[in-house]
Amino acid sequence: MTKYLGVAELQRMLAEIGAETMLAQMAGFIREDFLRWNHYEKCARSAHHSRVGVIELMPVSDEKLFAFKYVNGHPRNPLRRLPTVMAFGMLAEVATGYPLLLSELTITTALRTAATSVVAARCLARPGSRRMALIGNGAQSEFQAIAFMAALGIDEIRAFDVDRKATERLQANLAPYIQARRVQVRAMASVREAVAGADIVTTITADKARAQVLDDDMVQPGMHLNAVGGDCPGKTELDARILERATVVVEYAPQTRIEGELQQMPADFPVQELWQLLQHGGGRTGDGDITLFDSVGFALEDLSALRYLQQLADTLELGQQLDLVPRLRDPKDLYGCALGRPAAFALAD
């Protein structure tokens, strides 16, 4: 039988152990897998674009596990009361191809994206960073804020969105953290105002457009930029001149050069991959360096997240069993199974 984790199970996980703990534990799984980078068979995701969005498949595997994610990106979905990003995924056994876990990945994608951001920021942000500008206050913004507050000690979030109601929702959702951690979540009047004086700048806007959310003159020496929103061809957030000044780290260069901020740069523009940063260091040489994590999301992060969910579900005894694949007494008697003959089915595990 295949274990299934739906939205209800993710809600129970968050209720039982909390977002901070899940983010920290998931970040540990992600770091562990990126340190095993050469064990994985990798490729850029397959993307099918339309005028209004993109639908993607993201596979990855090592010698034991195969994972894939189905995910979309449709910026106008909120007008239809649908999330901009929706996802599900599967973890399977390489030795047999048997599907071990089928899971929602919409909530989980927001968790793993924020977890990956802090894995990179621990290496790239200036020590003692306490102020973060959060540009774009949509569906993933709370996850980013909580991850950075917990992992890096951020105590001031300088939030801006063209939709003021999005910022108000962010402040309301973070109210428990504001009280418990005595952090500030300040609504700013513009991108420029939010970025001024920030140690870390996270951009996570949704429009599928070649935008210049962050201008070159806004970026000061010492800043770490966590660029998350530019995640498909034709979608950017940063002035290209910023990349020329920065030390740039990416997840998987062949994919990021097509989809990330890197699509603005020459094919030979120098970057470092996250696994290299984690294994060998070399991200920040001094307090004045500008560092950039050009994050588009990579399949290995989803495999890490699925591994984590599988372990957590077993610990908390969560999940449903699905007969997604038939179990047969005689593996060649698929027709007998199709007819529902009791003798065709294997005994329960």
Side-chain angles (χ1 to χ4, degrees), residues 158-179:
R158 303 162 65 85
F160 174 76
D161 195 292
V162 293
D163 178 4
R164 182 58 182 254
K165 290 183 179 179
T167 305
E168 292 171 356
R169 187 215 66 245
L170 173 72
Q171 291 174 309
N173 283 341
L174 293 179
Y177 296 91
I178 293 170
Q179 293 180 340

Side-chain angles (χ1 to χ4, degrees), residues 94-113:
V94 166
T96 64
Y98 194 83
L100 303 171
L101 176 68
L102 175 66
S103 179
E104 86 79 44
L105 288 183
T106 305
I107 296 169
T108 304
T109 290
L111 287 164
R112 72 85 157 130
T113 301

Side-chain angles (χ1 to χ4, degrees), residues 38-290:
N38 291 323
H39 290 263
Y40 290 96
E41 184 174 337
K42 303 169 287 289
C43 64
R45 56 187 157 209
S46 172
H48 293 249
H49 295 272
S50 69
R51 282 188 309 105
V52 293
V54 62
I55 296 174
E56 301 168 332
L57 289 177
M58 302 171 62
V60 67
S61 67
D62 66 1
E63 64 278 7
K64 292 183 179 180
L65 294 172
F66 170 89
F68 82 86
K69 180 168 78 173
Y70 166 100
V71 62
N72 77 301
H74 286 70
R76 296 184 64 82
N77 267 7
L79 299 176
R80 300 183 178 187
R81 298 189 180 277
L82 291 171
T84 299
V85 174
M86 298 176 285
F88 68 88
M90 179 172 286
L91 193 66
E93 183 180 64
V94 166
T96 64
Y98 194 83
L100 303 171
L101 176 68
L102 175 66
S103 179
E104 86 79 44
L105 288 183
T106 305
I107 296 169
T108 304
T109 290
L111 287 164
R112 72 85 157 130
T113 301
T116 306
S117 290
V118 298
V119 168
R122 282 195 178 105
C123 300
L124 295 173
R126 186 169 45 190
S129 294
R130 293 293 177 266
R131 296 179 300 276
M132 182 169 80
L134 188 53
I135 311 302
N137 302 158
Q140 295 199 42
S141 59
E142 289 92 348
F143 299 89
Q144 290 281 336
I146 293 166
F148 275 87
M149 287 189 291
L152 273 78
I154 293 295
D155 58 20
E156 181 182 346
I157 303 289
R158 303 162 65 85
F160 174 76
D161 195 292
V162 293
D163 178 4
R164 182 58 182 254
K165 290 183 179 179
T167 305
E168 292 171 356
R169 187 215 66 245
L170 173 72
Q171 291 174 309
N173 283 341
L174 293 179
Y177 296 91
I178 293 170
Q179 293 180 340
R181 290 182 171 274
R182 297 184 179 179
V183 300
Q184 291 182 300
V185 182
R186 301 172 58 194
M188 312 304 286
S190 66
V191 173
R192 186 172 294 275
E193 183 180 79
V195 170
D199 301 302
I200 297 171
V201 179
T202 292
T203 57
I204 192 162
T205 59
D207 283 346
K208 188 182 178 183
R210 279 192 178 272
Q212 191 168 297
V213 175
L214 209 60
D215 295 333
D216 181 50
D217 67 337
M218 297 179 187
V219 177
Q220 300 302 310
M223 282 183 174
H224 170 58
L225 311 179
N226 177 41
V228 180
D231 58 359
C232 69
K235 181 182 178 186
T236 60
E237 296 179 311
L238 307 187
D239 185 331
R241 291 173 293 178
I242 296 171
L243 279 76
E244 295 172 351
R245 299 167 57 200
T247 297
V248 181
V249 174
V250 303
E251 291 135 318
Y252 181 54
Q255 180 174 295
T256 309
R257 291 189 189 278
I258 298 169
E259 301 180 352
E261 299 301 326
L262 276 187
Q263 66 189 281
Q264 306 179 74
M265 310 306 290
D268 60 350
F269 185 82
V271 298
Q272 188 175 19
E273 291 184 325
L274 181 57
W275 72 273
Q276 295 170 314
L277 179 70
L278 294 174
Q279 284 194 1
H280 309 302
R284 177 175 287 276
T285 60
D287 284 351
D289 291 355
I290 297 168

